[in-house]
Each structure stands twice: as structure tokens, then as C-alpha cells.
Amino acid sequence: MELRQLAYFVAVCEELSFSKAASRCFISQSAISHQIARLERDLGVSLFERTTRAVIPTDATTRLLPLAKQMLSLESAIRATVRTTGPRIRLAANMSFATRSLSAIAGTRAAHTDAEIEYVIKPFRQRITAVADGDCDLALIRGSVDQPGLAVEQLWVEDLVIATSSGHPLATRETVTLAELSPYPLLLPPEQEQVLLHNIIRAAFADLTKGPTYGPPIPPDHTATMELLNRPDAWTVLYAESPTEGLVVLELTEHRLRIPVSAVVRSDARPSPILSTLLANLHR
């Protein structure tokens, strides 16, 4: 058993998708499948039931997951204990914030040459927990969070992107309205996975005479691109920095689909000069 196998195992548990876990870990899907298979052989158990549409954790996975997270947390603590470099900031986010975050990190490093700034990829809830527990100094989230001990600072507001396939009846238009999109199927992930996105959609359509026509939910192991190619009459909503290769992006005439991006920090923490500079660079 290797620590990297445990890291891959945790990623698959949290993403419920080998392809998404592979992307998160920056390795190929075949490589992560191979390592999970090795871990299963070492432990003598099956960790996931694999179907064409879902990855289902087994009972053994439920028992192993908290211990695997504990092992990985201990590894991080060991590395932090022996590190002798300068001041360190840990920024928790996801890949959709990478472009803006890395630019802000570069600007901060230029101003504080002795600083070490880590960009840590974590799902939403884990980002919040990491800040609350002191494992990370800052988390980027869409929306907000109300939790004792945490402070939220809005950084910017982004417009969500309307995307269709090139075969959609409205694909040749430069701009569209929500009323024009309403008759066509809207494809979104299940609401339990994207509560904020569903709330924004409902609010945007609230004062229109007709709401959205929902299509089937996008399965966890499928991409919006593939679903739209299979359903050329459908449309979806993407975050501003989501990949849009193979899709047609339409501009919404009314800026109804907007979402705040915020920084989450501990309310009792005294901001360091490095963290203050990083936040200022993220504001730009």
C-alpha cells in the first residue's frame, strides 16, 4: 500500500468518477484505475462497484475512507513540521479558479520573494473545513457560507456562461434571452451536487411567465460537452472559466445569471502581509 494510492482512493470517493479523479490528480484515467486495482489486490477487497454510468463505493470503502484521510493528513503534518522555508500560505480552491489564482500567486510571490504559496485542490465542503481547521489560510468559493469562526469577503462577481452544441436552433445567435431558452431542455448536474447553481437558475426565472424546461440530470461521470453533443436541442450553464471546447457560447442579453466569488478566512486570524497581498491581487 502506498500513500499515493490512498490519495487516488480518496479522490475517487469524493468525485465518484475515475475520470474526474484522474483530472484532479493530474494523471490519466487508466493510471488511476490501475493504482486503485493494485490497492484492492493489496487489501483483498473490492472498493468500488463500477457500472457504465456510476461508481458505487462498497462497505469496505466506507470503513477505509476516514482512515485514508487520516493517513494523508498525517503526511501533510509531517511535511509541514520539517519544512524550514519561509512563511507559507495555503490557498484552497478548485480548477475553475486556477487561471486567476495563479496570476494572483505570481504577483504575491513577486512582492514577497521568501513566501511559499500552495494551491490546494479541494471540493467545496473540504475547502471550508480546511480553513476552519487551520489546514488552509484561504478558500475560494462561489456563493457564500455562514459558519461560526469564518469570515467571507466577496472578491468579484462573474456571469455564468450559456452553452449549446453547434446544432442547437439558437446556436447561430449572438445573444439570447432566458425566455427564448425556456422551451429547450436545460441540462444540469443533480441538484444535490450543485445546489447553488440550481438556486441561481430558479431565481433568474422567478419573474418570467415560464420557467426552464429541465432535461435529465448530467450523470456524475459525464461531461456537459458530451451531453450537449448527444442532445443538440439542449443547453446548459457553465462557470465562466469552465472548458468550452466543442461548444457554442451564447451571450445572455439580461445579466440574470450572476454569481459572487468569495474568499473564506478564519475570523479570528490576524491577516499576514502575504495573505493581504494575495487577497488584493485576487480582487483585481
Side-chain angles (χ1 to χ4, degrees):
M1 184 191 309
E2 301 175 10
L3 283 173
R4 63 171 178 164
Q5 291 172 340
L6 293 179
Y8 299 156
F9 164 75
V10 171
V12 174
C13 287
E14 292 172 348
E15 301 291 346
L16 291 180
S17 164
F18 278 83
S19 59
K20 290 182 180 179
S23 176
R24 166 175 155 182
C25 297
F26 303 101
I27 63 172
S28 68
Q29 183 173 339
S30 60
I32 202 167
S33 296
H34 174 70
Q35 291 299 329
I36 293 297
R38 282 188 55 194
L39 181 61
E40 288 176 322
R41 288 196 300 270
D42 289 345
L43 296 175
V45 296
S46 175
L47 296 172
F48 300 100
E49 295 179 12
R50 303 159 176 85
T51 72
T52 57
R53 298 185 64 86
V55 174
I56 304 170
T58 64
D59 290 341
T61 293
T62 303
R63 297 191 297 271
L64 175 60
L65 183 58
L67 295 175
K69 288 182 176 180
Q70 185 177 1
M71 288 288 291
L72 295 173
S73 178
L74 286 172
E75 181 199 20
S76 297
I78 290 170
R79 292 183 183 278
T81 298
V82 300
R83 187 180 285 116
T84 58
T85 57
R88 179 176 65 120
I89 294 291
R90 283 169 59 87
L91 165 61
N94 61 24
M95 286 303 297
S96 67
F97 293 123
T99 301
R100 188 155 183 164
S101 295
L102 295 179
S103 176
I105 289 171
T108 305
R109 288 289 306 276
H112 302 275
T113 56
D114 61 336
E116 179 183 353
I117 304 175
E118 295 184 35
Y119 187 73
V120 185
I121 304 297
K122 290 181 180 290
F124 178 89
R125 181 46 54 186
Q126 285 193 28
R127 277 175 259 163
I128 303 303
T129 302
V131 173
D133 293 347
D135 180 55
C136 290
D137 304 279
L138 164 69
L140 294 183
I141 63 168
R142 289 181 174 88
S144 187
V145 63
D146 184 10
Q147 182 170 316
L150 297 180
V152 178
E153 177 182 347
Q154 183 172 311
L155 298 175
W156 70 88
V157 177
E158 62 184 28
D159 286 299
L160 300 181
V161 172
I162 304 295
T164 70
S165 75
S166 59
H168 193 280
L170 301 177
T172 58
R173 301 273 298 276
E174 291 186 1
T175 62
V176 293
T177 67
L178 289 178
E180 291 170 327
L181 288 166
S182 178
Y184 300 100
L186 169 59
L187 305 183
L188 293 175
E191 182 165 3
Q192 63 268 25
E193 295 181 12
Q194 288 282 359
V195 175
L196 178 62
L197 196 58
H198 281 261
N199 286 341
I200 290 173
I201 294 290
R202 275 193 290 268
F205 277 91
D207 58 350
L208 300 181
T209 56
K210 186 178 180 182
T213 301
Y214 289 101
I218 299 175
D221 58 345
H222 286 210
T223 65
T225 302
M226 184 56 65
E227 293 300 293
L228 290 176
L229 293 178
N230 290 331
R231 292 288 304 271
D233 62 329
W235 61 287
T236 193
V237 177
L238 302 175
Y239 293 124
E241 295 189 18
S242 301
T244 56
E245 293 85 355
L247 301 180
V248 174
V249 175
L250 305 177
E251 181 180 347
L252 200 62
T253 54
E254 330 100 303
H255 293 285
R256 290 173 175 267
L257 298 177
R258 311 199 78 196
I259 185 169
V261 176
S262 303
V264 180
V265 298
R266 291 186 301 281
S267 55
D268 61 349
R270 187 173 182 178
S272 68
I274 301 170
L275 182 58
S276 297
T277 302
L278 180 58
L279 284 168
N281 287 331
L282 285 167
H283 263 293
R284 295 176 182 174

